[in-house]
Amino acid sequence: MGGPADDEKLRLQQLRALRRRWLRDQELSEREPVLPPRKLGPVAAFWERFLRPGGLWRQQVYKACQASGFIVGRVLIPAWIVTYYVKYHL
């Protein structure tokens, strides 16, 4: 005796199979996505090359930033404080 319950079970089973198939179809293969080659302007191309890991320029800029931060934090700011104190409080 087949009734509405059997029809509903069959319908739910078919829906589950369709969902599984749809989810499997959404997975990308190793060849996807196929993107067109990017056309970079001169500034973007410079930064693309500059920011590559291990580049000599990148290391030199990092060292310069580290040194300037040390000089500002450990030399200039204390010198300004001392100059202010000497000028206005002594």
Side-chain angles (χ1 to χ4, degrees):
M1 181 168 125
D6 292 336
D7 289 341
E8 191 167 326
K9 285 181 185 177
L10 179 62
R11 181 175 173 274
L12 286 175
Q13 181 183 7
Q14 289 171 343
L15 281 175
R16 279 191 206 106
L18 281 172
R19 284 187 194 119
R20 283 192 195 109
R21 190 179 317 144
W22 183 82
L23 283 173
R24 254 194 328 267
D25 289 342
Q26 299 307 308
E27 295 174 3
L28 296 177
S29 75
E30 59 277 352
R31 295 179 292 142
E32 292 180 303
V34 179
L35 299 174
R38 293 190 322 168
K39 302 275 184 174
L40 297 176
V43 175
F46 167 78
W47 283 112
E48 188 76 25
R49 288 189 310 271
F50 180 78
L51 295 176
R52 257 188 225 136
L56 178 64
W57 274 104
R58 188 175 181 180
Q59 294 171 2
Q60 295 300 323
V61 169
Y62 178 76
K63 287 180 186 177
C65 287
Q66 288 292 101
S68 65
F70 177 81
I71 290 171
V72 167
R74 306 287 170 113
V75 177
L76 288 179
I77 293 176
W80 287 331
I81 292 171
V82 168
T83 303
Y84 176 83
Y85 182 77
V86 168
K87 185 173 183 179
Y88 294 109
H89 296 287
L90 291 181

